[in-house]
Amino acid sequence: MIWFTEYQTKNTGLTVKVKEAKHIQSKYQEILLLDTYEYGKMLVLDGAVQTTERDEFIYHEMLSHPALIKHRNPERVLVIGGGDGGTVREVLKHPEVKQVHLCEIDEEVIKVSKEHLPTISNQLDNPKVSIFVEDGNKFLDERKSYYDVILLDLSDPVGPAEALFKRAFYEKVKGALREGGIMAAQTESPFLQELYFKTAVKEIQKVFKYYGTYLAFIPTYPAGMWSFTIASDDVDVTKTDGKELEKLKNLNTKYFCDKIYTSLFSLPKFVSDLIK
Ligand code: SAM
């Protein structure tokens, strides 16, 4: 019997019982594809759980839909990271989207996901999608005022994603948005990764005029408590209106819904205290 433990801090970890394990060493990271009893297939990068077949919908819906419904006409979308394809799949649920660029540094993640995680990666070959195997930080050097929505679907701020949680990178994201543009990022666990969380959110707050942080319950992520931050220089992302709720009605989702949307920024006190 095989058990796998993801050490979420030095003192605590998520443990799952595994049927089968596949190991690949890519140019950037160690990739583990685990077939688990409870969560189905699980993608692990450098020891950190990225996604599982059973709970992936929560993360991918919550990263994508708030930004996409708040934008009045999200035609051009960029996803940085996200090589498993789950965010791209959610983005394509919005009929206004004409073009999706995916910028993933590690080609192996895309390959493994296409082969072993078909329910997550199934839109990567959609004709609206172009894939760029590049470092997101460099990719943005050449893209100015182009995208309507940018989604930062990155692994933890260690290893290849480290620079993409810094102020200089968020400035590039802002520069790559065209008028009315909105970005959303995964910003770590406020409970077990307090410092990562605080740092990412505060850097975003320094760069954008409007911002808001929200949470989702994700069973396989540290402490199950996960955060996202949405931001814009043009759109007050903290406000809602009837049009957004109309758009939401037509979305086929399992976690994101009108009740979550209308109370999106209701945070537990200790979480708002961290990012005041
Ligand atoms: N849901 C995940 C989480 O929070 O654990 C993120 C999943 S997604 C698979 C993260 C992806 O970001 C990985 O495939 C990784 O290769 C990619 N990535 C890391 N650094 C990157 C960079 N500098 N540019 C583009 N992609 C990057």
Side-chain angles (χ1 to χ4, degrees):
M1 192 187 299
I2 316 172
W3 288 87
F4 168 79
T5 296
E6 177 207 42
Y7 285 98
Q8 300 183 325
T9 70
K10 280 184 196 145
N11 306 316
T12 184
L14 169 83
T15 298
V16 287
K17 194 160 120 188
V18 173
K19 295 179 197 170
E20 237 183 281
K22 190 176 165 59
H23 175 265
I24 297 156
Q25 182 59 55
S26 80
K27 196 168 136 197
Y28 297 98
Q29 53 212 342
E30 181 192 38
I31 304 176
L32 271 181
L33 199 270
L34 305 177
D35 191 359
T36 73
Y37 283 88
E38 199 60 48
Y39 290 104
K41 303 255 174 62
M42 174 182 266
L43 176 71
V44 181
L45 298 179
D46 281 343
V49 175
Q50 303 293 304
T51 197
T52 82
E53 285 179 320
R54 179 147 174 214
D55 70 352
E56 59 87 9
F57 66 96
I58 309 172
Y59 173 88
H60 293 125
E61 289 181 11
M62 291 301 283
L63 175 62
S64 317
H65 299 312
L68 280 147
I69 64 168
K70 278 176 185 292
H71 195 285
R72 58 189 152 72
N73 188 23
E75 290 183 348
R76 300 174 185 171
V77 179
L78 169 65
V79 178
I80 301 186
D84 53 75
T87 299
V88 167
R89 182 197 64 205
E90 292 306 310
V91 166
L92 287 167
K93 288 182 179 172
H94 294 259
E96 308 96 316
V97 172
K98 291 194 172 141
Q99 184 181 54
V100 186
H101 287 174
L102 174 75
C103 173
E104 160 64 60
I105 200 168
D106 193 341
E107 197 169 17
E108 283 299 329
V109 173
I110 300 171
K111 270 199 209 155
V112 168
S113 305
K114 280 190 172 177
E115 195 181 337
H116 299 280
L117 302 169
T119 56
I120 305 178
S121 60
N122 60 23
Q123 291 301 314
L124 286 177
D125 292 324
N126 186 300
K128 289 183 182 176
V129 179
S130 307
I131 299 180
F132 300 83
V133 177
E134 279 178 53
D135 178 349
N137 199 15
K138 292 207 185 103
F139 182 82
L140 285 191
D141 286 337
E142 284 141 45
R143 266 101 189 156
K144 302 285 167 243
S145 305
Y146 186 80
Y147 297 104
D148 296 312
V149 172
I150 299 181
L151 302 171
L152 305 180
D153 185 0
L154 291 161
S155 30
D156 293 337
V158 282
E162 191 176 349
L164 284 64
F165 284 80
K166 301 217 158 106
R167 183 174 178 170
F169 178 70
Y170 295 128
E171 294 281 4
K172 288 188 196 180
V173 170
K174 181 160 103 172
L177 288 168
R178 61 176 167 170
E179 212 194 321
I182 299 178
M183 79 112 198
Q186 74 86 353
T187 43
E188 307 287 303
S189 171
F191 195 86
L192 277 183
Q193 299 166 321
E194 207 178 280
L195 189 63
Y196 285 170
F197 166 70
K198 259 167 83 166
T199 311
V201 174
K202 293 208 169 224
E203 295 295 86
I204 293 171
Q205 291 177 347
K206 283 179 204 152
V207 172
F208 292 90
K209 186 168 169 197
Y210 304 105
Y211 45 79
T213 293
Y214 57 93
L215 302 180
F217 166 69
I218 305 180
T220 58
Y221 283 180
M225 180 187 253
W226 204 251
S227 76
F228 302 86
T229 300
I230 182 169
S232 174
D233 249 19
D234 306 322
V235 180
D236 185 348
V237 287
T238 60
K239 300 227 164 88
T240 38
D241 66 29
K243 281 189 208 124
E244 297 159 31
L245 293 170
E246 254 331 285
K247 278 188 177 182
L248 206 153
K249 266 191 213 153
N250 302 320
L251 280 178
N252 175 18
T253 55
K254 287 195 276 180
Y255 186 92
F256 186 59
C257 59
D258 53 352
K259 288 201 177 67
I260 287 193
Y261 184 67
T262 47
S263 58
L264 196 64
F265 301 108
S266 309
L267 295 177
K269 186 169 179 305
F270 83 91
V271 178
S272 23
D273 285 349
L274 286 171
I275 51 173
K276 253 183 204 157

